[in-house]
Amino acid sequence: MKLGFLTACLPQVPLERIAAWAAEHDYDALEVATWPATGSRDFEASHLDVASFTDRDAEQVRTLLDGHGLEISALAYYENNLHPDEKRRAEIAEHVRRNIDTAQLLGVPYVGTFIGRDPGRSVRENIELGNQVLPPLVEYAGERGVKLIIENCVMEGWHPDGYPGNLAYSPELWEWIFSLGFYLNYDPSHLMWLGIDPVEALRPYVDRIPHAQAKDAQLDPRARNRYGFFGKAAERDDPWDMGWWRYRVPGLGDVDWRSVVDTLYEGGFTGTLSVEHEDPVWGSDEEKVKQGLVIAHRTLRPLIVA
């Protein structure tokens, strides 16, 4: 098992500086963010321009990573592949394909994305839509020796009422996406607030989890007594603010990391555990984000066999 982090937490820092810092602070791998450079969302990061990536670019990136003793664990483009607007859905699918092409050039085995959802359709209707539009992406990846990995983030902010916006949030839905040929980029933080035991949910599916993300969640049951499971309603100005839980870096929330890592080992996991830093306490500027990554490292490194 290797320890890495998702570069999206440092959207304004070039990949060269991120790689140097990661190596200096004893990380093994980078999950590299590859959103288009549109600036449409604050958390989007574009550390590789996959839309115009060439063999020469691949050589330069490999030289950079090799020089720091790092590897790229996966490319990361988490978008709504069931977007209700067909034109936008096609744009997203095209960028997924460009990620796959870039992964092939770099010898990177995985591209991470979301299933997504059309919020105007029921879950069952979305599954029917997914059965139609998603298999070509899986086939495109497979032909190039790449696996598509789906993060189990709920993406509640994509739904007008805070309901699941990414149909990969439960083991029941994992089994559906596995049937389409996807793999899981397992993240225990999302299971915590759903009331799903992240260890028991993980145990049966490790063989379909080649890559995992390390993010923590801090729950506040007293606030849940006010807002309910679905979070703020009348008081929610920010679609991502549920009001009774928040993301934290590993070690500052309620995930039992010792049990999670042990279960991954027990199931034969040999991939990368990649820190996804979305902690509001250790955010807002580059130095605080890096301190958050240091905290995550201190939590996880002792659990990973050298």
Side-chain angles (χ1 to χ4, degrees):
M1 192 183 307
K2 297 179 175 65
L3 181 61
F5 66 86
L6 174 59
T7 64
C9 60
L10 294 165
Q12 305 305 318
V13 182
L15 186 61
E16 292 81 3
R17 282 180 50 205
I18 292 175
W21 187 92
E24 181 182 351
H25 290 81
D26 190 37
Y27 276 95
D28 306 312
L30 296 175
E31 184 182 2
V32 178
T34 58
W35 276 266
T38 63
S40 61
R41 291 202 302 238
D42 291 340
F43 64 82
E44 289 179 354
S46 303
H47 289 123
L48 290 179
D49 182 8
V50 300
S52 59
F53 204 75
T54 65
D55 288 324
R56 182 177 180 182
D57 294 326
E59 182 179 351
Q60 292 174 342
V61 171
R62 283 193 295 266
T63 299
L64 169 68
L65 275 292
D66 290 347
H68 290 292
L70 297 169
E71 64 181 54
I72 296 178
S73 63
L75 302 185
Y77 172 57
Y78 291 94
E79 262 295 356
N80 187 353
N81 282 284
L82 297 181
H83 198 285
D85 184 294
E86 291 188 16
K87 180 180 178 181
R88 178 64 185 135
R89 188 193 311 156
E91 292 172 349
I92 291 167
E94 177 62 18
H95 199 69
V96 171
R97 287 191 288 269
R98 297 292 74 76
N99 270 272
I100 294 166
D101 294 340
T102 298
Q104 181 185 27
L105 286 176
L106 287 168
V108 173
Y110 310 117
V111 170
T113 190
F114 288 139
I115 295 296
R117 177 181 188 167
D118 178 344
R121 305 188 192 206
S122 69
V123 171
R124 182 170 294 182
E125 290 168 339
N126 272 275
I127 288 174
E128 293 173 357
L129 175 63
N131 288 338
Q132 298 171 27
V133 305
L134 297 175
L137 289 177
V138 176
E139 182 178 353
Y140 189 90
E143 290 171 349
R144 288 154 181 81
V146 176
K147 291 183 172 67
L148 290 177
I149 54 175
I150 303 297
E151 185 190 348
N152 56 292
C153 183
V154 183
M155 294 306 288
E156 65 284 350
W158 278 355
H159 192 284
D161 292 316
Y163 303 153
N166 174 40
L167 298 185
Y169 57 85
S170 68
E172 178 190 21
L173 290 166
W174 299 350
E175 293 173 0
W176 167 59
I177 67 173
F178 296 156
S179 75
L180 298 180
F182 292 103
Y183 292 78
L184 186 66
N185 193 7
Y186 166 82
D187 183 335
S189 67
H190 306 299
L191 300 170
M192 294 292 292
W193 70 270
L194 290 174
I196 299 173
D197 184 322
V199 174
E200 291 306 310
L202 166 64
R203 199 180 305 280
Y205 301 108
V206 179
D207 65 334
R208 298 293 296 186
I209 300 173
H211 192 279
Q213 289 185 330
K215 186 163 74 261
D216 219 325
Q218 184 178 36
L219 312 183
D220 183 351
R222 291 177 300 176
R224 185 177 58 203
N225 287 338
R226 170 174 173 78
Y227 298 117
F229 170 82
F230 295 105
K232 291 181 177 180
E235 300 176 14
R236 190 189 307 204
D237 296 322
D238 179 350
W240 302 102
D241 179 14
M242 300 288 280
W244 66 272
W245 61 268
R246 60 180 179 173
Y247 293 128
R248 303 304 308 273
V249 292
L252 299 182
D254 298 316
V255 172
D256 180 353
W257 289 104
R258 184 176 298 276
S259 294
V260 167
V261 173
D262 186 55
T263 301
L264 285 169
Y265 272 123
E266 184 178 5
F269 181 85
T270 58
T272 296
L273 183 60
S274 178
V275 176
E276 185 183 16
H277 182 350
E278 296 181 348
D279 189 323
V281 177
W282 295 102
S284 75
D285 64 59
E286 179 180 338
E287 291 310 309
K288 290 187 73 174
V289 168
K290 288 178 176 177
Q291 185 57 49
L293 292 171
V294 169
I295 295 168
H297 182 278
R298 289 174 181 168
T299 299
L300 297 172
R301 178 56 78 188
L303 303 177
I304 296 177
V305 177

